[in-house]
Amino acid sequence: MTDRFDPKFTKHVLDTIGPKATPRNHQVLGALMQHVHDFAREVELTPEEWLMGVNFVNSIGQASTPIRNEGHRVSDVIGLESLVDEIAHKLVTDGTVDPTSSSILGPFWSPDAPFRPIGDSIITDPAPGGKPTLMHGKVTDLVTGKGIPGAVVDIWQASANGKYDFQDPENQSPNNLRGKFRCDENGDYHFYCLKPTAYSLPTDGPVGVLLNLLDRHPMRPAHIHLMITAPKYRGCTTQIYPNDDPYLETDTVFAVKDDLVVDFKPKTGDPKAILDLEYNVILAPESYKGITPHSQSTIGLKSKL
Amino acid sequence: MTDRFDPKFTKHVLDTIGPKATPRNHQVLGALMQHVHDFAREVELTPEEWLMGVNFVNSIGQASTPIRNEGHRVSDVIGLESLVDEIAHKLVTDGTVDPTSSSILGPFWSPDAPFRPIGDSIITDPAPGGKPTLMHGKVTDLVTGKGIPGAVVDIWQASANGKYDFQDPENQSPNNLRGKFRCDENGDYHFYCLKPTAYSLPTDGPVGVLLNLLDRHPMRPAHIHLMITAPKYRGCTTQIYPNDDPYLETDTVFAVKDDLVVDFKPKTGDPKAILDLEYNVILAPESYKGITPHSQSTIGLKSKL
């Protein structure tokens, strides 16, 4: 069918890229235009569909505010942020042990989360229906298998109502359900948090329109966010998910990976917790020579965006 | 290199499309997500580049207003509107004569342009530096080669300053340089217009950012817009371009086609014109069986967009 169309059209568009475009801009934007054209020819995009697309793109920015990033959300529900995370962080090892998988950062991390002492709780406000959990584990070195003393575990999560402190100032004080913990001399940590709760992305904007066209639900499985760092190690930003969550297979932002699914077990004899979660983290040393992402060695996209 | 990435990821994203998505939505949006993922893997899109893209998409809607459609412009400078136009209108004939090529409508057509008598001028306001032109020709039937009596030629163009009436209320009254002309019993028409003037797209928004990244100019070659219609014929929306324009090869919206480039010749002995332009149009009958676009026979994209 595509014989019907000018076979030189896309080449002509790409040939107009000027000599002062950086090599990376040329590569990235050229590939983007090639794929957009291939897409349009493949589905024989109609003028009406094109116009709907134009209106949809305009609606994304119009729905965004300083505290609502609809462009980020749209890229999430089409799987792009998770894919970019994999491209950037996937480390192929030559052994039988892999470092802990990364997952997307999401929009709710805070640089201001306080350090708390090992054993403390991040639950500073009431969370009706929440299930207090003792979370504990060890951060180890991929190569030696030994604990990493002083590794920092930064944790943040939504409350039992599915909202983060930012989104819920009436019920939550700043830094409720956030905290940084420094592992002991053996690389061990423990603290109290909540078993997390599934929640919906906001559906009153373009994301809702798109999910409706795709006949998809807007739910994220319940998750705890973690950012684990240590000097001379590759840090890991990730999320962990209870293994009994109904949305693991259909996470609307596609951020679940097998090794990030965890088991919350009943706990007795601890007045501060009804559940127990063991979660161990493996970090690769900075010097570790896996198969590193190609993109980290290429020229960065220079722009005025 | 792509072995490094989960080979099931994109299939998983596409498999979440629900059973109530229409077949066309499934096809179009599925192909779009496949191409976005292939693009990201192909260039190993970095998190920084992804974030720049998110910000760029948000900026498009934020720069748009009721009289400025930046999403439309961005799709134009990547060649998408021209490609969609070709997909919708390209008719492959089985003879040696083709119908007049279509080109993009653009944002300046008006449904309110008045009918004017054959031989009238569309120049109702002064246009300093403009070159008055007698434009004339015949609208003929692709199959019979005969003139089409009563065919309507709707013409609109920017003034010598590169602005349309909408954009230039201080210098131009409504419908300056617009008009509809009904061909005579032989399919012939003639009227007075201006030799058109090249102009720049607005560059103070996302389009300017994108063109800068691509090291491209923002110029459209000079052009006259035409919409030619007749009962029982496939109408033709198109643009024609003077053959001496410096931007023919690099039109920033890629709307130039070979058969749309025309020759303005010097004219003497006419007090109303210094140039002469002959332009003939060929329309295909509605019943003509060329190779028609596949998309016209498929289910339309249903949506709430």
Side-chain angles (χ1 to χ4, degrees):
Chain A
M1 282 306 291
T2 55
D3 288 348
R4 200 162 65 81
F5 311 127
D6 178 1
K8 297 177 185 168
F9 181 75
T10 299
K11 179 173 189 302
H12 173 61
V13 171
L14 299 183
D15 283 348
T16 63
I17 299 174
K20 291 178 189 163
T22 68
R24 182 66 178 165
N25 282 350
H26 197 126
Q27 177 189 18
V28 172
L29 297 171
L32 184 58
M33 290 190 282
Q34 179 77 53
H35 276 288
V36 169
H37 289 197
D38 288 346
F39 154 71
R41 281 184 289 252
E42 186 178 314
V43 302
E44 298 208 358
L45 194 69
T46 69
E48 294 73 22
E49 290 164 350
W50 162 78
L51 192 58
M52 286 169 48
V54 164
N55 292 339
F56 183 78
V57 168
N58 282 330
S59 77
I60 293 171
Q62 286 161 353
S64 293
T65 69
I67 58 165
R68 176 173 183 157
N69 190 330
E70 198 76 3
H72 187 150
R73 294 293 196 207
V74 169
S75 85
D76 282 1
V77 299
I78 66 172
L80 184 57
E81 188 182 5
S82 284
L83 181 57
V84 166
D85 175 71
E86 182 188 34
I87 292 169
H89 299 116
K90 178 72 175 177
L91 190 68
V92 177
T93 60
D94 49 12
T96 55
V97 179
D98 284 330
T100 296
S101 291
S102 67
S103 188
I104 61 178
L105 177 67
F108 296 112
W109 178 75
S110 167
D112 302 324
F115 269 99
R116 302 184 192 272
I118 285 282
D120 202 0
S121 176
I122 62 170
I123 312 166
T124 62
D125 296 310
K131 296 179 178 171
T133 300
L134 175 64
M135 179 169 165
H136 57 96
K138 186 186 281 285
V139 179
T140 59
D141 179 308
L142 172 72
V143 177
T144 66
K146 291 182 181 171
I148 304 173
V152 172
V153 177
D154 186 354
I155 173 179
W156 64 108
Q157 67 177 160
S159 191
N161 62 2
K163 293 184 179 175
Y164 292 85
D165 58 351
F166 294 166
Q167 300 173 296
D168 192 27
E170 291 186 8
N171 300 304
Q172 299 183 54
S173 39
N175 295 317
N176 181 44
L177 298 170
R178 300 178 183 276
K180 292 178 190 155
F181 296 89
R182 196 178 298 279
C183 293
D184 66 18
E185 66 279 12
N186 299 312
D188 291 322
Y189 74 87
H190 67 286
F191 53 76
Y192 293 92
C193 60
L194 294 176
K195 185 181 182 193
T197 304
Y199 60 80
S200 171
L201 296 192
T203 57
D204 59 342
V207 162
V209 172
L210 182 58
L211 291 175
N212 189 269
L213 289 174
L214 291 167
D215 186 27
R216 276 175 41 190
H217 69 69
M219 299 300 292
R220 291 228 57 210
H223 57 275
I224 294 174
H225 291 275
L226 296 166
M227 185 187 289
I228 306 102
T229 52
K232 300 189 179 175
Y233 288 85
R234 295 173 192 247
C236 180
T237 298
T238 195
Q239 303 180 20
I240 55 177
Y241 307 89
N243 58 7
D244 59 354
D245 190 280
Y247 302 110
L248 291 176
E249 290 298 318
T250 58
D251 177 7
T252 198
V253 307
F254 309 102
V256 178
K257 293 172 187 173
D258 289 347
D259 71 312
L260 302 177
V261 177
V262 297
D263 190 18
F264 286 76
K265 293 178 176 163
K267 184 171 183 65
T268 54
D270 184 339
K272 296 174 72 179
I274 62 171
L275 294 171
D276 178 277
L277 173 63
E278 179 178 1
Y279 186 64
N280 300 309
V281 174
I282 302 172
L283 295 185
E286 270 181 359
S287 59
Y288 183 77
K289 291 197 173 113
I291 302 171
T292 55
H294 172 255
S295 57
Q296 292 183 359
S297 64
T298 57
I299 299 159
L301 188 65
K302 306 291 187 202
S303 95
K304 297 178 181 174
L305 288 184
Chain B
M1 280 305 291
T2 54
D3 288 349
R4 199 162 65 81
F5 311 127
D6 177 2
K8 297 177 186 169
F9 181 75
T10 298
K11 179 174 187 304
H12 173 61
V13 172
L14 299 184
D15 283 348
T16 63
I17 299 174
K20 292 180 189 162
T22 68
R24 181 65 177 166
N25 283 350
H26 196 126
Q27 177 189 19
V28 171
L29 297 171
L32 183 59
M33 290 191 282
Q34 179 75 53
H35 276 288
V36 168
H37 289 197
D38 288 346
F39 154 72
R41 281 185 288 252
E42 185 178 315
V43 303
E44 298 208 358
L45 195 69
T46 69
E48 295 73 23
E49 291 164 349
W50 162 76
L51 192 57
M52 286 168 49
V54 165
N55 292 338
F56 183 78
V57 169
N58 282 329
S59 76
I60 292 171
Q62 286 161 353
S64 292
T65 69
I67 57 166
R68 176 174 181 157
N69 190 330
E70 199 76 3
H72 187 151
R73 294 293 195 207
V74 168
S75 85
D76 282 0
V77 300
I78 66 172
L80 184 58
E81 188 182 5
S82 284
L83 180 57
V84 166
D85 174 71
E86 182 188 31
I87 291 169
H89 300 116
K90 178 71 174 178
L91 190 67
V92 177
T93 60
D94 48 14
T96 54
V97 179
D98 283 330
T100 296
S101 291
S102 67
S103 188
I104 62 178
L105 178 67
F108 295 112
W109 177 74
S110 167
D112 301 324
F115 270 99
R116 301 185 193 272
I118 285 283
D120 202 0
S121 176
I122 61 171
I123 313 166
T124 62
D125 296 311
K131 294 179 179 170
T133 299
L134 175 64
M135 179 169 166
H136 57 95
K138 186 186 282 285
V139 180
T140 58
D141 179 307
L142 172 72
V143 178
T144 65
K146 292 181 182 172
I148 303 173
V152 172
V153 178
D154 185 355
I155 173 178
W156 66 107
Q157 67 176 160
S159 190
N161 62 2
K163 293 184 179 173
Y164 292 84
D165 58 351
F166 294 166
Q167 299 174 295
D168 192 27
E170 290 186 7
N171 299 303
Q172 299 182 52
S173 38
N175 295 316
N176 182 43
L177 296 170
R178 299 179 185 275
K180 292 177 190 155
F181 296 88
R182 195 178 299 279
C183 293
D184 66 17
E185 68 278 11
N186 299 312
D188 291 323
Y189 74 87
H190 67 287
F191 54 75
Y192 292 92
C193 60
L194 292 176
K195 186 182 181 191
T197 304
Y199 60 79
S200 172
L201 297 192
T203 57
D204 58 342
V207 162
V209 171
L210 182 58
L211 291 175
N212 189 270
L213 290 173
L214 292 167
D215 186 27
R216 276 175 40 190
H217 69 70
M219 299 300 293
R220 291 228 57 212
H223 57 276
I224 294 174
H225 290 276
L226 295 167
M227 184 187 289
I228 306 102
T229 52
K232 301 190 179 174
Y233 287 85
R234 294 173 192 248
C236 180
T237 298
T238 194
Q239 303 181 19
I240 54 176
Y241 306 89
N243 59 7
D244 59 352
D245 190 281
Y247 302 110
L248 291 177
E249 290 297 319
T250 57
D251 177 8
T252 197
V253 306
F254 308 103
V256 178
K257 294 172 186 172
D258 289 347
D259 71 312
L260 302 177
V261 177
V262 297
D263 190 18
F264 286 76
K265 292 178 176 163
K267 182 171 184 65
T268 54
D270 185 339
K272 295 173 72 177
I274 62 172
L275 294 171
D276 178 277
L277 174 63
E278 179 177 0
Y279 186 63
N280 300 310
V281 174
I282 302 173
L283 296 185
E286 269 180 359
S287 59
Y288 183 77
K289 293 197 171 111
I291 302 172
T292 55
H294 171 256
S295 56
Q296 292 183 356
S297 65
T298 58
I299 299 159
L301 187 66
K302 306 290 186 201
S303 97
K304 297 179 182 174
L305 288 184

